[in-house]
Amino acid sequence: MRSVKLLLRLIRLQIRSQLQYPASFILEVISGVIIMGFYFVAFALTFSRFDNIGGWSLGEVAFVWGLAEFSFGTMDMIFSGFDYDAFGPMIRKGQFDQLLLRPVNITLQVFGSRFVLRRLGKMIEGLAIFIYSLTLIQVEWTAFKLLYLPVLVVSQVFFFGSLFVIGATTTFWTMERLEILNIFSYGGNEVMSYPMHIFPRPIRMLFTYVVPAILLSYYPAVYMLGKTDPLGAPAFVSFLAPVVAAAMFWLALRFWHFGIRNYQSSGS
Amino acid sequence: MTAFFATIRTSFRRQLTYRAANLSGLATNLMFAFFRASVLIALFNEKNIVNGLSIQGAITFAGITQALIGFLSFFSWYDVMHSINDGQIGADLLKPMNFFTYWLGVDLGRALGSFIIRSLPLFLIFMLFYKITLPDSFLQWLVFLLSIVLSELISFGWRFLVNLAAFWSPNALGIGRFAFGLSWIFSGFFMPLDLFPDWLANFSRLTPFGASVYLPIELFINSLTPGELLQTVFIQIFWVLFFILIDQLVLSRGVRKLVIQGG
Amino acid sequence: MKPIISVQDLSKTFKVYRNHKGYLGAFRNLVDRKFDLVHAVDGVSFEVQPGELVGYIGPNGAGKSTTIKMLTGLLVPTSGTMEVDGYLPWKQRKDCVRKIGAVFGQRTTLWWDLPLTDSFDLLKHIYDIPEDVFIANYNHFREILDLDPFLNTPVRSLSLGQRMRADLCAAFLHNPSLVFLDEPTIGLDVVAKQRIRDFIQFINQKKGATILLTTHDISDVQKLCERVLIIDHGKILFDGKLAALLADFGGRRFLNVEFAEYYPEVHLKDAEVVRVDGNQVVFSFERKTISASKLINRLSENYRISDLEVQNQPIEDTIRQIYEDQLLYNHPYDKRDPAP
């Protein structure tokens, strides 16, 4: 509990430091929204020449696209300490040792080591696309769906977060960035922005059985939007998102702790 | 002149030593090529041609754009900015070589290395999975090769210019992110320009970004008449000269400011 | 009194994997792993009593940082026992770390992007320092180390000297009973070094903090430490008073003479000519062999002298000789166990 309070304090200090030049910050956020958002704009403009993609309308694509963007942006803001670009140098420059020398939980210290408020841009962009989707389609909202939506977002956040944690852990062993992991995190973000049944079988298999992105995006959306699933999976699969995310995060943390123990026995 | 080629050679060799980075970059770009191709195939959905673009052309587009990412270093490049910010530029300016020429040499070496070890293998592997459109005459191939060289020059000219912002602003990194982001938008990188509304497609083609990224792809996919080929090359040459001029101008202003005001 | 650091037969062995070269080699690395064993710390034993200010020196790669890492809980030993302020550092990390402090010359202990005041405030909460203790220490250290001019500057914008002072302040805020200082004066100018040394002495004497000082700057050791530990190739070579070490090994002295006229050849019994520069000649001699006064008398009997100066061998050279020529090996001072 004490460590959590320290974490919040550290985050608050970083936010204050990042908001030192508010005009510059706002400009960066806005430019982020525009640039990242253009990717969807390009898709939407292109889409007007076609009727649907895999039987899904633009609004339906925007539904999963916006969710994935919002979740990834949220994750990127919170888990930034585990981002290879931040954590790699931390290990290389020996700053990780500093964390071990403080009487505070190490994992929470890594969370607190970097909080990038700028990622708000991606969150806003995702939200905007999601809201846009709601203007295009009619979702039959039920109480359960309304409850499931935030659960789905949180699940996606921890799904992506697990990949970041795993990526950071690998730096204990290799100095090189394992970009193969980017395929799962950033690639995962990419495929989760579309109805995943449009991808060829190998890609689908990768994102079902290796990194279960399909259970975090496609199947929940199939349920929410009332789509038919040409892949023929049982209905309950749509509700596995929180279970999968929790399991992944648990595994990631175990790997992470294993990494720390190994770091302490073999040195840097 | 020999110094210039020596710079290229050194940079080329260095690029080849980044084995792990090159390999993983290749893997990532290849995956994304598959993703993009899949999306385009799903969009086309049995249609053969949309607004003059064939499904095969669209797939080829997906492959080439990903293959060119590393080569053009289009997403970001902040080397000169870093050099200005941490004072390294002082040493660089003392070198007996024009600052612009020096960095051009470094970038050409990098691009050549990246092309051989990343772009080429990526596209060849991509070809194993998809049926793509290839230039159908020797002339087309030649002009395409010339075109991507010009593309790299335009890309460098633009990136160099953006980096020069560091002479004037401590927040150059933020400016750089914005500028580079803006250039993607009009580069024709996200979706084949033929699928965009005409006004946007035409506007993008007029920008140096479209000239750098999309024009060579158009050369590759479409069978252009010799006249059209010439036109494309001329547009690219125009932008190359444009940037050489502007970069030298802005650079001299920046250096003057640096010398007068100090680090 | 119970020692605050107690180390017995401490060892740390690393496996250093040999890398095969080339593309094929990368594949071979996966299946056929050859490695060498490096004994970074090899059976080290010593004790430190509370309140001591001990120097821990040795050539590069001797095992200093590895020892410190084990004592601070960063590294798990391969064998041997150790106790730091009653704790086993790596096992009881949080408890142990709460009572000790560490400063590293090569990198900061503070938060890079935050102003100093924020860093100190964070430390107050991290170590649960009572408000009155914190304020007392903070104000006191602020004054001694002259931190006020840059209290609101983020660490990344500080000069090396400023950063070191800030790190020192940070290390002692929570009244640690034991502090490890690793290269605290590296890269600093003479004035800054003195300031740091004064602070270290103050903390040790007034606050009674035990200090283990690792440094390459021998004058640091000379000015601050009575006791010094020398480690080389993972083994403790010497554990005792620095003065005793110098008496035995620092015996080389120099006689810097300016002759009244030019002498083409100068001879002096029991002394060697080291350098000739016109009328100036530098002789070296051993303290044990002959005294300076005898030598000077001898010289003035045969030559006309205009000026002269006697110098001791710089302590750095003494220590360097000890490292390079392995002078302590098989010396009575040698602490290592005799080879079987």
Side-chain angles (χ1 to χ4, degrees):
Chain A
M1 195 53 229
R2 188 182 146 270
S3 294
V4 171
K5 274 171 74 186
L6 280 168
L7 170 65
L8 291 176
R9 184 180 293 269
L10 193 51
I11 291 178
R12 217 177 328 156
L13 284 170
Q14 286 185 68
I15 292 179
R16 188 172 73 194
S17 152
Q18 285 165 32
L19 284 180
Q20 234 186 338
Y21 302 108
S24 168
F25 177 80
I26 292 179
L27 220 66
E28 281 217 50
V29 170
I30 292 180
S31 80
V33 173
I34 295 176
I35 290 167
M36 288 180 282
F38 188 79
Y39 187 10
F40 176 76
V41 170
F43 178 79
L45 287 173
T46 310
F47 195 91
S48 55
R49 292 193 190 268
F50 306 91
D51 336 292
N52 64 75
I53 183 168
W56 287 45
S57 68
L58 179 64
E60 288 163 342
V61 174
F63 187 86
V64 287
W65 190 306
L67 264 176
E69 289 290 277
F70 180 79
S71 304
F72 195 88
T74 309
M75 183 284 298
D76 211 356
M77 189 167 73
I78 301 175
F79 282 78
S80 226
F82 292 93
D83 186 350
Y84 174 83
D85 289 325
F87 194 72
M90 201 184 228
I91 293 278
R92 263 199 308 273
K93 293 190 204 157
Q95 278 160 331
F96 184 71
D97 287 346
Q98 232 10 79
L99 305 189
L100 292 171
L101 287 171
R102 297 192 191 119
V104 186
N105 180 286
I106 297 173
T107 311
L108 288 182
Q109 281 193 73
V110 176
F111 269 111
S113 68
R114 192 166 179 242
F115 185 86
V116 183
L117 195 62
R118 209 175 56 230
R119 306 285 188 230
L120 223 53
K122 196 157 171 108
M123 290 167 70
I124 296 175
E125 178 236 348
L127 194 61
I129 295 175
F130 184 75
I131 293 177
Y132 177 63
S133 100
L134 294 181
T135 66
L136 291 179
I137 58 176
Q138 292 280 37
V139 178
E140 290 183 19
W141 290 107
T142 64
F144 184 78
K145 280 189 190 173
L146 284 169
L147 278 168
Y148 192 50
L149 188 62
V151 168
L152 185 58
V153 172
V154 171
S155 305
Q156 285 190 354
V157 170
F158 278 92
F159 167 77
F160 289 125
S162 308
L163 295 170
F164 263 32
V165 170
I166 293 173
T169 310
T170 60
T171 59
F172 283 131
W173 288 275
T174 130
M175 285 298 129
E176 303 272 4
R177 166 202 229 137
L178 274 185
E179 223 167 295
I180 193 106
L181 290 168
N182 274 3
I183 292 181
F184 295 128
S185 52
Y186 293 98
N189 184 17
E190 176 84 7
V191 301
M192 279 163 70
S193 305
Y194 300 95
M196 283 174 74
H197 66 287
I198 65 165
F199 292 106
R201 201 154 185 279
I203 296 181
R204 257 187 299 123
M205 293 295 108
L206 187 69
F207 287 101
T208 306
Y209 297 112
V210 177
V211 168
I214 206 170
L215 294 173
L216 272 299
S217 162
Y218 179 65
Y219 281 111
V222 159
Y223 161 69
M224 297 283 240
L225 301 172
K227 305 290 296 178
T228 45
D229 165 36
L231 303 171
F236 77 87
V237 149
S238 296
F239 307 101
L240 290 179
V243 175
V244 170
M248 271 186 72
F249 192 59
W250 182 79
L251 280 168
L253 283 182
R254 292 218 60 118
F255 185 46
W256 164 250
H257 284 122
F258 173 69
I260 296 180
R261 274 200 310 278
N262 185 274
Y263 178 79
Q264 278 181 291
S265 63
S266 70
S268 31
Chain B
M1 207 53 196
T2 41
F4 181 61
F5 284 118
T7 312
I8 298 181
R9 195 170 46 234
T10 314
S11 176
F12 170 70
R13 285 220 192 96
R14 185 172 53 211
Q15 184 63 22
L16 290 185
T17 66
Y18 298 146
R19 272 204 317 263
N22 281 321
L23 236 68
S24 46
L26 194 157
T28 315
N29 292 149
L30 189 63
M31 282 307 284
F32 274 81
F34 290 145
F35 296 155
R36 299 283 160 86
S38 308
V39 171
L40 285 164
I41 292 174
L43 275 176
F44 269 72
N45 192 30
E46 313 300 326
K47 286 199 188 69
N48 266 319
I49 299 210
V50 173
N51 199 33
L53 179 72
S54 69
I55 176 60
Q56 230 183 321
I59 294 172
T60 313
F61 163 86
I64 300 191
T65 41
Q66 291 298 321
L68 288 181
I69 287 181
F71 174 67
L72 292 178
S73 192
F74 206 67
F75 278 134
S76 63
W77 186 76
Y78 299 103
D79 289 358
V80 169
M81 222 182 255
H82 290 322
S83 163
I84 296 176
N85 280 334
D86 55 59
Q88 174 68 25
I89 187 172
D92 285 344
L93 287 170
L94 284 173
K95 290 202 177 94
M97 223 173 120
N98 180 287
F99 188 70
F100 176 82
T101 319
Y102 167 69
W103 279 105
L104 176 63
V106 170
D107 204 58
L108 284 176
R110 175 206 60 76
L112 185 60
S114 184
F115 185 77
I116 292 179
I117 204 171
R118 207 162 133 174
S119 307
L120 219 52
L122 193 159
F123 198 69
L124 291 172
I125 298 177
F126 188 75
M127 274 172 67
L128 296 174
F129 289 86
Y130 293 102
K131 190 154 168 282
I132 59 164
T133 319
L134 291 171
D136 54 6
S137 75
F138 184 64
L139 183 64
Q140 303 265 10
W141 274 109
L142 217 62
V143 179
F144 172 70
L145 278 153
L146 172 64
S147 180
I148 55 174
V149 172
L150 293 170
S151 279
E152 153 62 11
L153 291 173
I154 299 175
S155 166
F156 172 74
W158 163 243
R159 284 180 278 124
F160 189 81
L161 182 64
V162 170
N163 270 249
L164 295 183
F167 277 126
W168 288 274
S169 164
N171 198 22
L173 206 62
I175 295 178
R177 276 195 217 113
F178 181 70
F180 288 135
L182 215 60
S183 52
W184 311 345
I185 292 181
F186 298 110
S187 65
F189 172 80
F190 290 113
M191 285 282 171
L193 285 183
D194 296 303
L195 297 180
F196 271 1
D198 290 327
W199 61 270
L200 186 56
N202 290 328
F203 180 76
S204 300
R205 282 197 188 89
L206 286 176
T207 64
F209 323 118
S212 174
V213 175
Y214 202 69
L215 288 192
I217 298 181
E218 276 194 323
L219 274 179
F220 196 88
I221 304 179
N222 305 322
S223 294
L224 300 179
T225 68
E228 288 168 327
L229 289 174
L230 214 62
Q231 199 176 31
T232 308
V233 169
F234 272 170
I235 295 176
Q236 289 192 303
I237 292 181
F238 165 74
W239 284 115
V240 172
L241 294 174
F242 174 81
F243 277 118
I244 291 182
L245 218 75
I246 269 219
D247 285 354
Q248 296 285 22
L249 229 98
V250 177
L251 176 64
S252 64
R253 282 259 163 78
V255 171
R256 193 158 56 217
K257 176 174 186 288
L258 190 71
V259 167
I260 292 176
Q261 292 195 0
Chain C
M1 219 194 312
K2 189 159 178 257
I4 200 169
I5 300 180
S6 170
V7 169
Q8 191 68 30
D9 274 320
L10 196 63
S11 292
K12 181 63 187 173
T13 309
F14 291 111
K15 277 190 198 158
V16 176
Y17 288 98
R18 274 186 245 153
N19 264 322
H20 299 282
K21 295 272 180 206
Y23 279 111
L24 205 59
F27 182 66
R28 279 179 70 195
N29 276 340
L30 288 171
V31 291
D32 171 27
R33 275 302 212 167
K34 285 211 168 50
F35 57 84
D36 299 307
L37 285 176
V38 172
H39 300 283
V41 174
D42 197 358
V44 162
S45 306
F46 62 87
E47 276 181 7
V48 176
Q49 301 296 335
E52 280 196 77
L53 213 185
V54 182
Y56 193 55
I57 64 176
N60 283 328
K64 298 191 297 294
S65 7
T66 311
T67 318
I68 304 294
K69 279 189 180 167
M70 286 193 280
L71 290 172
T72 49
L74 292 174
L75 211 52
V76 177
T78 311
S79 66
T81 58
M82 63 173 170
E83 201 178 85
V84 173
D85 204 4
Y87 300 105
L88 181 54
W90 62 270
K91 209 138 207 207
Q92 299 162 286
R93 187 188 72 86
K94 284 200 206 141
D95 292 321
C96 180
V97 149
R98 194 159 295 164
K99 311 275 296 298
I100 68 175
V103 177
F104 298 95
Q106 315 272 19
R107 55 180 193 262
T108 185
T109 56
L110 304 167
W111 285 267
W112 199 240
D113 287 315
L114 300 179
L116 274 185
T117 42
D118 284 346
S119 277
F120 293 141
D121 191 59
L122 270 170
L123 289 171
K124 179 175 83 178
H125 288 98
I126 285 181
Y127 288 99
D128 280 326
I129 310 176
E131 187 72 22
D132 50 341
V133 171
F134 176 76
I135 299 223
N137 281 347
Y138 182 50
N139 288 330
H140 201 173
F141 301 160
R142 248 178 53 199
E143 198 193 308
I144 302 181
L145 292 166
D146 194 22
L147 300 179
D148 283 349
F150 47 91
L151 270 180
N152 287 311
T153 320
V155 171
R156 67 164 186 268
S157 309
L158 297 177
S159 75
L160 183 62
Q162 293 171 327
R163 205 209 77 208
M164 275 315 311
R165 277 145 55 199
D167 274 323
L168 273 174
C169 172
F172 291 99
L173 280 174
H174 59 287
N175 284 340
S177 42
L178 165 65
V179 176
F180 297 91
L181 299 177
D182 186 72
E183 307 277 7
T185 63
I186 197 170
L188 298 179
D189 65 63
V190 172
V191 174
K193 275 194 209 246
Q194 192 51 46
R195 203 188 230 157
I196 302 275
R197 286 181 197 146
D198 288 340
F199 182 77
I200 294 175
Q201 205 148 47
F202 156 76
I203 283 284
N204 173 248
Q205 285 167 1
K206 287 291 177 323
K207 291 255 174 191
T210 314
I211 298 191
L212 192 67
L213 174 68
T214 315
T215 179
H216 276 298
D217 186 339
I218 301 300
S219 4
D220 278 349
V221 180
Q222 202 180 9
K223 300 216 159 104
L224 293 171
C225 311
E226 236 191 77
R227 175 179 167 206
V228 70
L229 282 142
I230 302 186
I231 184 173
D232 191 13
H233 286 95
K235 297 191 199 287
I236 297 281
L237 283 187
F238 176 81
D239 181 357
K241 295 213 186 310
L242 184 61
L245 188 69
L246 292 178
D248 247 32
F249 295 107
R252 197 160 182 235
R253 309 184 81 196
F254 298 95
L255 187 63
N256 200 330
V257 186
E258 197 184 319
F259 292 107
E261 54 188 89
Y262 177 69
Y263 295 101
E265 264 192 63
V266 179
H267 294 291
L268 187 56
K269 185 160 165 285
D270 290 323
E272 261 178 65
V273 174
V274 170
R275 192 171 72 240
V276 177
D277 190 7
N279 280 8
Q280 271 196 309
V281 179
V282 180
F283 300 90
S284 82
F285 63 98
E286 285 294 326
R287 189 197 299 263
K288 288 194 199 121
T289 314
I290 187 167
S291 75
S293 49
K294 272 221 188 82
L295 214 55
I296 293 169
N297 282 337
R298 225 180 258 174
L299 200 62
S300 45
E301 276 167 22
N302 296 317
Y303 305 95
R304 282 181 42 230
I305 300 168
S306 136
D307 196 7
L308 59 75
E309 190 189 355
V310 180
Q311 287 170 333
N312 290 321
Q313 174 178 38
I315 220 182
E316 287 82 359
D317 291 349
T318 311
I319 299 287
R320 189 170 30 88
Q321 245 188 318
I322 292 178
Y323 296 163
E324 282 175 7
D325 301 340
Q326 302 189 326
L327 294 176
L328 274 169
Y329 283 42
N330 304 317
H331 184 274
Y333 279 150
D334 191 344
K335 299 273 304 172
R336 302 165 308 148
D337 294 322

